Amino acid sequence: MTTPAPAQDDAGLICGYLFDPVETGAARPVDLDAAAHWLADPSAPDGFLWLHFNLSHAQAERWLQRHAQLSDAFYETLKDGSHSTRIERDEDALIAVVNDVHFDFGFEPSDIATLWISVGPRLVVTARTQPLRSVDALRTAVRYGESPRSSVALLEQLMRTQADGLVEIVRGVTTRVDHVEDELLSGRLDRKRARLGVLRRLLVRLQRLLAPEPAALFRLLQHPPAWMAEDDVQELRGASEEFSVVLRDMQGLQERIKLLQEEIAASVNEDNNRSLFVLTVVTVLALPINILAGLFGMNVGGIPLAEDRHGFWIVVAIVGGFTAIAAWVARRRRDR
């Protein structure tokens, strides 16, 4: 019995496009067989190929090793466990590690995953384990006719798409922070401090993972591969600067959340101190009557005023006097 040939999705290919520089705006979808044939043909016309893989499929990495002829640094990056965002040059190729939010992002710190990228003059490979928002937006743009002129332009467009996604996240977080601030000013806390903590952890994690390593990017822009055009280098520099602006806005939002948390903490401490003061005053006011009740309640001889017919009112007057003195002392302490 013959074993059937594996289907296309067995190798984890999510999408593949062949960009033809002659036909402006043309991006032709390709499957694995067509991609393998184009990569193996040295006489193939000019252009570049974009293959996007799901690394959860066991055959994805094997297909890349068999047909894509990527550098060893790319496969080492897949396995080294480092998820910091960076773009590095490895001989004649670019290796990028980009962190992005999930497609169904829910403003949780765990909704972030990694995209691995290899960029060469004729081939761009992107690989991920979970659906990501930016690369899906790039797929949609390509499907509707947007065609980068080069492989580096595709990387630059991906970075700009990710920056646009970060702007939306910052706006969403800002809206939530504004809502919390309005409720704080109106006196309705309702555990908003915990919600601010989640938003702040999200921003910290995004900034830590998404901020590109400046040294690696600087080395790349100073000494790009020979096949990279000057226009591509400038656009990549512009995309990185745009990305940095978004990260600075994110850092400013972190500071705002921090100040808001401190204000909420101060308000909570003030309420706790006020409640503690009221409890202390009640305890002090009840102290004289408790002491006298304990003394006069002892079943021993010689209890004062035991035979006096006005003894009860005398004791009430004594208790009232001590209570008034205690209230006066507590009021003075509060007014200080």
Side-chain angles (χ1 to χ4, degrees):
M1 180 177 181
T2 59
T3 303
Q8 173 178 325
D9 60 356
D10 287 344
L13 181 66
I14 300 172
C15 68
Y17 290 98
L18 180 60
F19 297 88
D20 189 349
V22 177
E23 299 180 18
T24 304
R28 180 165 56 89
V30 295
D31 57 15
L32 285 180
D33 292 336
H37 182 269
W38 189 86
L39 291 172
D41 185 6
S43 62
D46 292 337
F48 70 96
L49 186 66
W50 175 34
L51 301 177
H52 182 46
F53 284 89
N54 180 6
L55 292 178
S56 298
H57 290 258
Q59 297 295 328
E61 188 172 344
R62 297 178 184 176
W63 190 95
L64 290 172
Q65 291 174 343
R66 185 179 304 115
H67 299 284
Q69 297 180 352
L70 303 178
S71 65
D72 294 337
F74 177 75
Y75 300 107
E76 293 173 359
T77 304
L78 293 178
K79 297 179 175 61
D80 64 4
S82 176
H83 298 282
S84 59
T85 298
R86 59 192 184 275
I87 304 176
E88 300 174 330
R89 175 182 175 181
D90 180 68
E91 296 180 354
D92 206 33
L94 303 182
I95 306 298
V97 179
V98 177
N99 291 278
D100 194 14
V101 297
H102 292 179
F103 181 77
D104 53 348
F105 180 65
F107 288 90
E108 295 294 334
S110 58
D111 292 342
I112 303 173
T114 303
L115 178 71
W116 292 271
I117 308 172
S118 174
V119 180
R122 300 181 70 242
L123 175 63
V124 177
V125 172
T126 56
R128 53 78 170 170
T129 56
Q130 298 177 359
L132 301 177
R133 179 177 293 186
S134 297
V135 70
D136 188 77
L138 181 59
R139 288 173 53 199
T140 303
V142 171
R143 187 165 60 247
Y144 284 97
E146 292 190 20
S147 179
R149 67 175 183 275
S150 66
S151 57
V152 177
L154 180 68
L155 175 62
E156 177 264 337
Q157 185 173 344
L158 177 62
M159 293 181 63
R160 293 189 185 274
T161 303
Q162 188 181 20
D164 293 339
L166 288 180
V167 170
E168 294 181 5
I169 292 175
V170 171
R171 288 174 180 171
V173 174
T174 302
T175 301
R176 285 164 169 77
V177 173
D178 290 341
H179 180 67
V180 173
E181 190 172 20
D182 292 340
E183 292 192 348
L184 172 64
L185 295 177
S186 62
R188 301 191 304 269
L189 290 179
D190 190 24
R191 298 178 63 186
K192 297 300 184 298
R193 190 181 178 195
R195 280 169 41 186
L196 286 176
V198 172
L199 294 176
R200 187 179 177 189
R201 288 194 299 273
L202 169 65
L203 293 177
V204 170
R205 180 171 172 81
L206 281 173
Q207 188 172 20
R208 178 170 57 85
L209 290 177
L210 299 182
E213 294 181 359
L217 187 59
F218 178 80
R219 289 193 300 268
L220 169 63
L221 295 177
Q222 291 298 317
H223 302 284
W227 54 267
M228 281 183 61
E230 182 63 27
D231 292 342
D232 290 334
V233 175
Q234 294 300 327
E235 291 188 1
L236 189 59
R237 180 180 287 109
S240 63
E241 292 175 354
E242 180 180 344
F243 207 82
S244 299
V245 171
V246 179
L247 292 176
R248 284 197 295 269
D249 293 341
M250 192 177 297
Q251 186 174 6
L253 187 56
Q254 290 180 44
E255 293 298 324
R256 182 186 173 194
I257 293 177
K258 181 181 178 181
L259 293 176
L260 194 56
Q261 284 180 311
E262 293 175 353
E263 185 175 351
I264 293 176
S267 177
V268 171
N269 289 334
E270 185 178 350
D271 291 341
N272 291 338
N273 292 336
R274 189 180 298 112
S275 301
L276 184 60
F277 175 78
V278 172
L279 180 62
T280 302
V281 169
V282 171
T283 302
V284 170
L285 295 180
L287 185 61
I289 190 172
N290 288 332
I291 294 176
L292 289 178
L295 290 175
F296 284 91
M298 293 186 298
N299 191 18
V300 295
I303 298 294
L305 306 175
E307 304 297 333
D308 194 322
R309 64 190 183 93
H310 299 294
F312 173 76
W313 298 109
I314 294 174
V315 171
V316 170
I318 295 173
V319 171
F322 277 111
T323 302
I325 294 173
W328 177 76
V329 172
R331 183 183 181 87
R332 286 196 61 185
R333 288 182 174 274
R334 185 190 65 177
D335 294 338
R336 286 182 179 178

